[in-house]
Amino acid sequence: MSIQILPNYIGKQWVHPTTVNQVDVVNPATTEVISRIPLSSESDVDRAVQSAAQAFQSWRETPATDRIQYLFSLKQLLEEHLDQIARTITIECGKTLAESKGELRRAIENVEVACGIPILMQGYNSEDIASGIDETMIRQPVGVCAAITPFNFPAMIAFWFMPYAIACGNTFVIKPSEKVPQTTQQIIQLLDQTELPEGVVNLVHGGQGAAEALIDHPQVKAISFVGSTEVARQVYARSTANGKRAQCQGGAKNPIIVLPDADLEMTSQITADSAFGCAGQRCLAASIAVTVAEAKGPFTEAIAQQAVSRVVGSGLNETVQMGPVITVESKMRIENLIQSGVSAGANLLVDGRQTRIDGFEDGYFVRPTILENVDPGSEIASTEIFGPVLSLIHVETVDDAIQLVNSGRYGNMACLFTSSGAAARQFRYQAQVGNIGINLGVAAPMAFFPFSGWRDSFFGDMHGQGRDAVEFFTQKKVVVERWFSGWSRKF
Ligand code: NAD
């Protein structure tokens, strides 16, 4: 069977770039090559940006009420093709079908919120700031905006940005992860069916080179990035040095705290879903569980049971609860980190290495893994693993647990399990992280809230989603006006 080479989408045309460099897209469960993408060159990226720049003027002059009609159509098409796109996500990314559908629901939710742009984009005004003088703030689009997205949510993350950007009157170029390009390809095919005008949204495939060409392009005014922290930091520095606005979401190492008064059965179940769901490849995955005082014994026993009983296999199999990790390099990195934890003195309570799944012997599977008595100063306690590995750390008080949360470099999410309102309030108040969960394992903000993140998990000011997205994709203009007339008073 011949392997399809995915084209770019530029100016409403599917075009094959001139570049000869290509990269394989691999199904992580089977290791089969399922398609190939071009590594778009600087001139390919320039073509996409020029198309977006040409479309900008007439798109920004299109009333917001008309612009959102394309999003209403897109929502409908996404609903109709939900199963088909979910299958694509599972095939190229590895997560289970239920997880893929859940991801798509989050994507659709962002389309729904962006349909509120006619009101969300409103400015404000004051009459008579001085005698006969009025002042108004209006929001205008920024211009050509670009997004560079990671592998782990092939559908959802593009939707933290794209619907808001175009609803606000910007034009857009997206470069998806080279590991999972097929999902974006399908979504753009649906967008094309909405009759969205030429050049409003463009797609370029590629890796670092294509991303850098977008970041350096003088006609791109804003960069939205999601990926690992080191890259996020570089992208933020380079984009802002180029005079662009930038929002760059990075990696994570999310702790959850378990107090003795928590419902330990529910807590272990929720924690397992957080740590092992999406094979731990979620920026909101629990990576460390901090047990406080006598929570240690019963929680350790319950979470170990959750880990060993998790059904691992191909995400297309409806009975499977956890799929593979994304690449062989990820599998090796995760297994090496587990070994480093053991070498640093942790006890390997559940070992998920050397996993072989019948019928998928070559797949990149790692079973749920639990390390206990992890040294808070060790490599495994501070490194983002991005795999189904949970480290257990024990402390005696809630103050010690919060201090541990605040001593890490990341600040994406932290959760507390308790039945004490006072402890919950203390935690919510003191934890230095952007997303907080109380008796929740994945505190993912709904589309009408910002997807937050602090410290090394985020570089910028405005996050994705909701009102932050409207702030990011518009620039404010303030008009002070006076009109000379006879009716009010003479000037
Ligand atoms: P990654 O950093 O390897 O790649 C992300 C994107 O950046 C890809 O499109 C890639 O082609 C591009 N890229 C790679 N190197 C680049 C460079 N030097 N300059 C410019 N662009 C470059 O990330 P990944 O492995 O695809 O995704 C996993 C990471 O994303 C994890 O660290 C995870 O925590 C993070 N993530 C964070 C959030 C969040 O909201 N904070 C959400 C999802 C994922």
Side-chain angles (χ1 to χ4, degrees), residues 172-406:
F172 200 72
V173 181
I174 180 156
K175 189 213 79 67
S177 163
E178 59 274 40
K179 298 186 182 102
V180 293
Q182 298 188 170
T183 304
T184 308
Q185 194 86 8
Q186 274 185 20
I187 288 166
I188 299 289
Q189 280 164 0
L190 297 182
L191 200 55
D192 188 62
Q193 286 178 33
T194 68
E195 304 296 332
L196 186 72
E198 179 180 325
V200 173
V201 172
N202 306 271
L203 156 71
V204 283
H205 290 296
Q208 179 177 345
E212 288 176 348
L214 284 169
I215 295 163
D216 291 344
H217 200 295
Q219 281 174 279
V220 174
K221 302 297 179 203
I223 294 286
S224 303
F225 173 90
V226 181
S228 51
T229 283
E230 296 325 320
V231 179
R233 192 195 303 277
Q234 285 168 31
V235 170
Y236 185 74
R238 193 161 170 161
S239 303
T240 50
N242 284 335
K244 303 181 199 314
R245 52 178 69 187
Q247 48 179 191
C248 300
Q249 311 217 181
K253 181 83 186 170
N254 303 308
I256 62 123
I257 301 174
V258 186
L259 298 191
D261 62 2
D263 175 336
L264 290 182
E265 192 49 47
M266 282 302 292
T267 301
S268 65
Q269 203 176 306
I270 294 168
T271 304
D273 287 342
S274 174
F276 310 134
C278 296
Q281 299 174 121
R282 245 189 320 220
C283 67
L284 297 182
S287 185
I288 298 174
V290 185
T291 51
V292 177
E294 50 297 0
K296 182 179 180 181
F299 177 77
T300 304
E301 203 176 305
I303 192 74
Q305 190 49 42
Q306 289 285 342
V308 292
S309 61
R310 208 141 191 104
V311 182
V312 179
S314 160
L316 290 178
N317 180 340
E318 303 268 2
T319 63
V320 158
Q321 294 171 297
M322 194 184 99
V325 297
I326 189 74
T327 57
V328 68
E329 292 79 19
S330 287
K331 178 176 158 77
M332 284 163 52
R333 186 179 45 78
I334 293 162
E335 294 189 345
N336 287 339
L337 277 164
I338 296 170
Q339 187 52 46
S340 91
V342 175
S343 306
N347 174 38
L348 194 51
L349 190 64
V350 182
D351 186 359
R353 297 172 295 176
Q354 315 298 332
T355 296
R356 293 280 174 276
I357 303 293
D358 286 347
F360 298 89
E361 285 75 7
D362 295 331
Y364 311 135
F365 294 95
V366 182
R367 282 187 194 277
T369 297
I370 298 184
L371 289 140
E372 68 171 337
N373 300 331
V374 169
D375 175 356
S378 64
E379 186 190 13
I380 193 137
S382 58
T383 307
E384 180 179 40
I385 302 173
F386 226 52
V389 181
L390 184 68
S391 296
L392 306 187
I393 296 178
H394 184 68
V395 296
E396 284 307 323
T397 66
V398 71
D399 292 337
D400 292 343
I402 294 173
Q403 200 191 344
L404 208 129
V405 167
N406 292 345

Side-chain angles (χ1 to χ4, degrees), residues 122-137:
Q122 286 175 338
Y124 47 81
N125 58 64
S126 297
E127 205 174 43
D128 284 324
I129 48 137
S131 193
I133 300 181
D134 304 327
E135 190 160 339
T136 309
M137 187 279 278

